[in-house]
Amino acid sequence: MTQGDTAETGQGGVGRRDTGAGTRRAGIRREAGAGTPRAGIHRAIRAASRPGPWKRGLVLAASALLLGLFMLLHAEIPNRIGNLGSLVETFLPWLGLFIPVLLAGALWRRSASAVAALLLPVTVWLNLFGGLLSDKSHPAGDLTVTSHNVGADNRDPAGTAHDLAASGADVLALEELTEQARGTYEKGLAKAYPYHTVQGTVGLWSKLPLSDTQQVDIKMDYGPLADTKPVDIKMAYTRALRTTVATDRGPLAVYVAHLGSARVNPRAGFWTAQRDRGAQALGKAVAAEQNERVVLLGDLNGTMDDRAFADITSRLRSAQDAAGDGFGFSWPAEFPVVRIDQILVRGVEPESSWVLPATGSDHLPVAARISW
């Protein structure tokens, strides 16, 4: 190896050592630079760009607030388009199911804003329905009343009559009676109920004497030709009656009604015209009632949260709301989601209200015990 080569190699080694030292010095400079104001600004920008618990889940928070306002202002939802307001009020309790869904999303997102926003729908729902979560029944009572839409398609009317007779009701209202099944109910209930009346498709069976029975026109047959139809045809449209039950505490006016159906379809939306017309007529009949004590039994095809029943609920109160345990859903019988079978009272005190076991009908029977 020549001296030149040795010198070159030595110089190269020095060069490599110098390069390593330069790298270390650059690292030292970078570390020193990490504490500069510029680096602090970069860190602040990165921290600010990461949303905190109050910034996360803003969509969930907005959804919670809208849900709360939707329930709080349900009476302001117009019925002009497809009876949307009445449809919402029919299933109003079920809007509460969105609360745990939104809560799960808020916890998953760790969103403090969404959790805070959920206080509104929770408060509104509890204010509307919290009272139904407790048992308000009392063991007292002077008279037990029961109402049941027995169902026109009921394949076992004899079994239904047997179950109702065994329920122990003092007064029993039946709706949706057919001509074919009427005799079966009359025979099956005769032993337990010596008094009864049937008007059209509704009837009342009682252990106590009845008097002053009359039909109630709830405008089922409506229009310019309604008054020209024969009596036998009109009877098919009779779906409400009024009678007086003689109790040891004085007369009790009892109404039995089966209002028109409500339907949901794409063209008309929530169609309730016939039902709403009947509710108004029934409300007028109750308003004109002279008896201080009144009980209304029947399938009203709607919940008492629905504004369509304002003429009725302004004069009568729900036995289930006052003395029931839970919501008392009655339809459909296989999986009840709404209470459309009602017991409403005036001038008497509801002590308890409950739903009876299923029969062959698509409705569940409902019962209440009242006192004077």
Side-chain angles (χ1 to χ4, degrees):
M1 181 180 297
T2 64
Q3 183 178 357
D5 291 338
T6 302
E8 186 178 353
T9 303
Q11 292 173 356
V14 172
R16 284 192 294 270
R17 286 194 298 271
D18 289 345
T19 300
T23 302
R24 286 193 298 273
R25 286 194 297 272
I28 292 171
R29 286 196 298 270
R30 284 196 297 270
E31 290 176 5
T36 63
R38 179 180 295 179
I41 293 172
H42 286 314
R43 284 198 301 272
I45 293 174
R46 287 196 299 270
S49 64
R50 292 194 298 268
W54 290 100
K55 293 183 178 180
R56 290 193 294 265
L58 292 181
V59 173
L60 290 170
S63 299
L65 292 175
L66 287 174
L67 175 62
L69 291 173
F70 200 64
M71 292 190 291
L72 179 64
L73 303 175
H74 65 86
E76 305 303 323
I77 301 173
N79 261 343
R80 292 189 298 272
I81 302 176
N83 263 4
L84 180 60
S86 286
L87 180 61
V88 169
E89 289 166 340
T90 298
F91 297 99
L92 193 58
W94 292 98
L95 293 181
L97 290 179
F98 288 103
I99 294 175
V101 174
L102 291 172
L103 178 59
L107 295 177
W108 179 69
R109 290 280 292 150
R110 298 181 181 179
S111 171
S113 59
V115 172
L118 278 168
L119 291 175
L120 177 62
V122 168
T123 302
V124 173
W125 192 93
L126 288 176
N127 183 64
L128 291 172
F129 305 109
L132 295 174
L133 300 179
S134 60
D135 186 356
K136 299 178 291 298
S137 62
H138 302 91
D142 300 311
L143 194 74
T144 300
V145 296
T146 296
S147 177
H148 189 28
N149 181 326
V150 293
D153 298 325
N154 192 330
R155 297 183 179 181
D156 185 20
T160 299
H162 177 270
D163 292 342
L164 293 173
S167 70
D170 300 299
V171 176
L172 171 64
L174 301 186
E175 304 88 46
E176 210 164 291
L177 291 166
T178 64
E179 283 295 326
Q180 296 80 4
R182 174 177 171 174
T184 302
Y185 288 109
E186 289 177 329
K187 180 180 179 181
L189 297 171
K191 185 176 180 180
Y193 301 96
Y195 308 97
H196 87 280
T197 180
V198 175
Q199 302 291 321
T201 62
V202 296
L204 188 75
W205 276 256
S206 174
K207 295 180 179 180
L208 304 169
L210 304 177
S211 62
D212 302 327
T213 300
Q214 56 188 295
Q215 299 176 14
V216 176
D217 183 10
I218 55 171
K219 309 299 182 183
M220 292 299 299
D221 188 16
Y222 183 78
L225 300 179
D227 294 334
T228 66
K229 296 180 180 179
V231 175
D232 58 336
I233 295 179
K234 287 185 177 182
M235 282 295 293
Y237 293 97
T238 300
R239 291 171 57 161
L241 65 83
R242 185 263 182 214
T243 191
T244 300
V245 177
T247 76
D248 57 0
R249 300 295 186 92
L252 176 69
V254 177
Y255 288 77
V256 181
H258 182 196
L259 298 184
S261 298
R263 296 283 186 267
V264 178
N265 61 71
R267 180 171 298 180
F270 190 45
W271 184 83
T272 61
Q274 194 177 58
R275 184 206 66 179
D276 295 351
R277 191 167 59 241
Q280 291 175 3
L282 189 58
K284 290 180 180 179
V286 171
E289 175 60 53
Q290 298 299 308
N291 200 315
E292 178 185 351
R293 302 184 182 99
V294 179
V295 173
L296 169 58
L297 307 166
D299 173 9
L300 303 189
N301 271 310
T303 71
M304 294 302 96
D305 295 312
D306 191 333
R307 68 194 68 178
F309 297 95
D311 289 341
I312 296 175
T313 55
S314 63
R315 299 177 174 90
L316 303 172
R317 60 174 175 157
S318 165
Q320 183 66 26
D321 289 351
D325 181 11
F327 290 91
F329 294 147
S330 63
W331 183 87
E334 295 82 3
F335 187 77
V337 296
V338 292
R339 183 181 177 92
I340 61 176
D341 301 276
Q342 308 292 345
I343 299 176
L344 306 170
V345 301
R346 183 185 79 192
V348 295
E349 189 66 28
E351 299 290 352
S352 56
S353 180
W354 64 97
V355 176
L356 294 170
T359 67
S361 172
D362 59 338
H363 292 245
L364 296 176
V366 295
R369 191 151 180 82
I370 60 175
S371 63
W372 274 254

